[in-house]
Amino acid sequence: LREPGRTLGIKVCEGAVHRCNNKCVFCFVDQLPRGLRKPLYVKDGDYRYSFLQGNFITGSNLSRRHLERIVRMGLSPLYFSVHATEPEVRSYLLGDCGERDVIPLVKRLAAQGIEFHFQVVLCPGINDGRVLDKTITDLEALGSRALSMAVVPVGLTAHREQLPRLAPVTSEDAVKVLQVIQRRQLQFRSSRDSRFVYAADEFYLLAGGKIPSQAAYEGYPQLENGVGLVRREIEAFKRAAARKRFDGIAAGSRCLVVTGKLFESILSGLLSGLKGSISGVFEIVPVQNKLLGESITVAGLLAGGDILEAVGQHPPADAYLIPGAALNEDNLFIDNLSLSDLRQALSPGRVIVASGFSQAVAELVALAKRGGVNKSC
Ligand code: SF4
């Protein structure tokens, strides 16, 4: 009998990743500086990883054999990047390379039982407004095989030399996009009993609007795409506070909470709600993304070097809460700095990595109870 925890001794050969054959005008891979983690430069267009890991594909590189295999093996749901259903607009966005008209392809697979989660990367002035409205209409019309649709803002780094000029999403753009999405959600709630289309968290934060309720995310179908992460964190925080999960941190202990600029205001709001009921002192360190550019504000794309520089401007703390989303499965930041290097640099302070703030604080409390954090935590 194999003991629990022992591997089978079989290594599955994963084979090469199928690359996409597009040149999307907003492709994030093309906007990366040199010297980052190698897998970041792979233009993944692999339907297998779309099914297995929820990676978005455009479908442009699917051969007849691939399509047959998807249906035969029931690789469903697939995560599909549509961007626009208007052929000219989609063609422009894919760099004049991909399948112009995505609807026949999706319809063909849907008719054979394949379900979809869709994505639109919103580029102001190109696929917003009327184009976005039509895209929502066309995708929703696919019926029950169309499970959800996320609209996410285009990410523009500071490394776009020789790439098409694109405008970033402004607060005004965000307000307009939310108006379209909320109007359609209202309509779909009565026609299909589901909102179907969801805006990424960034739109609400940019627009300064209220984050939708938990119920409005209907089970968070596109959480990995940044749709509902903020609401989920707020709910986790409320639950943890109600269960007094934050008790146990010694008075006077100082903890630096590292986050991206985007989440700063939400985090400050959560922390101010705890004032008087938590003994430790939590200071937020909103890290500016110097590696990719200041318009990249999410925590998941923070470089280890930028984090070290930002926390270095504060007096040493007893603990540092680091967003887990910034690390890959090998515990490397985007700039190849390892978690152990970061731990060493911040020693003797304890580094706690967690998927959210509440989880990080809960781990901090657990560590303090075990005596694993110095006297003050
Ligand atoms: S599909 Fe477009 S955005 Fe995605 S990797 Fe290929 S070129 Fe880049």
Side-chain angles (χ1 to χ4, degrees), residues 20 22-24 26-29 43-44 58:
C20 82
N22 306 314
K23 289 186 187 148
C24 297
F26 51 74
C27 181
F28 208 71
V29 177
K43 290 191 170 186
D44 174 7
T58 62

Side-chain angles (χ1 to χ4, degrees), residues 19-30 42-45 56-60 81 83 93-95 121:
R19 312 290 168 116
C20 82
N21 53 7
N22 306 314
K23 289 186 187 148
C24 297
V25 292
F26 51 74
C27 181
F28 208 71
V29 177
D30 293 335
V42 175
K43 290 191 170 186
D44 174 7
F56 281 92
I57 56 169
T58 62
S60 315
S81 276
H83 308 316
L93 288 168
L94 298 191
V121 172

Side-chain angles (χ1 to χ4, degrees), residues 274-289:
L274 276 184
K275 264 199 185 124
S277 60
I278 191 164
S279 329
V281 176
F282 288 83
E283 287 171 33
I284 300 171
V285 182
V287 180
Q288 188 174 334
N289 197 325

Side-chain angles (χ1 to χ4, degrees), residues 77-300:
L78 289 179
Y79 289 76
F80 241 65
S81 276
V82 171
H83 308 316
T85 51
E86 215 157 86
E88 295 72 33
V89 180
R90 184 167 202 259
S91 176
Y92 170 74
L93 288 168
L94 298 191
D96 294 322
C97 301
E99 184 65 52
R100 287 165 58 86
D101 193 354
V102 72
I103 290 294
L105 172 64
V106 170
K107 267 190 176 162
R108 180 176 161 190
L109 287 169
Q112 295 177 86
I114 304 301
E115 297 179 320
F116 294 91
H117 290 286
F118 296 112
Q119 164 181 257
V120 161
V121 172
L122 190 111
C123 301
I126 302 175
N127 60 347
D128 52 357
R130 186 193 56 78
V131 178
L132 174 64
D133 211 28
K134 178 172 170 6
T135 302
I136 297 172
T137 302
D138 293 342
L139 294 180
E140 195 277 335
L142 293 164
S144 60
R145 302 280 190 231
L147 301 177
S148 73
M149 170 181 168
V151 182
V152 304
V154 65
L156 303 175
T157 77
H159 307 274
R160 289 194 55 84
E161 302 85 15
Q162 293 167 7
L163 292 174
R165 283 177 76 93
L166 292 176
V169 175
T170 62
S171 316
E172 295 75 38
D173 297 324
V175 169
K176 286 183 194 155
V177 168
L178 289 178
Q179 280 168 353
V180 172
I181 291 176
Q182 285 163 349
R183 177 169 52 77
R184 302 311 302 269
Q185 284 185 332
L186 256 182
Q187 185 188 337
F188 297 145
R189 274 185 75 190
S190 54
S191 64
R192 68 184 271 156
D193 206 21
S194 153
R195 289 167 178 80
F196 176 66
V197 60
Y198 308 89
D201 296 351
E202 274 184 83
F203 285 109
Y204 294 98
L205 297 173
L206 272 169
K210 204 168 158 275
I211 301 293
S213 68
Q214 176 149 251
Y217 286 105
E218 300 178 341
Y220 300 107
Q222 296 229 21
L223 195 65
E224 297 293 318
N225 209 4
V227 180
L229 284 169
V230 171
R231 171 49 64 194
R232 197 186 60 159
E233 181 57 34
I234 292 171
E235 294 302 317
F237 186 88
K238 284 200 287 198
R239 277 197 306 275
R243 289 177 195 159
K244 302 200 180 304
R245 286 263 165 85
F246 300 139
D247 291 2
I249 299 171
S253 58
R254 267 187 74 245
C255 306
L256 295 190
V257 186
V258 170
T259 186
K261 290 261 180 195
L262 188 71
F263 199 52
E264 181 185 2
S265 59
I266 297 285
L267 210 44
S268 322
L270 293 177
L271 278 172
S272 62
L274 276 184
K275 264 199 185 124
S277 60
I278 191 164
S279 329
V281 176
F282 288 83
E283 287 171 33
I284 300 171
V285 182
V287 180
Q288 188 174 334
N289 197 325
K290 293 192 177 165
L291 180 74
L292 297 180
E294 61 184 52
S295 62
I296 304 297
T297 54
V298 294

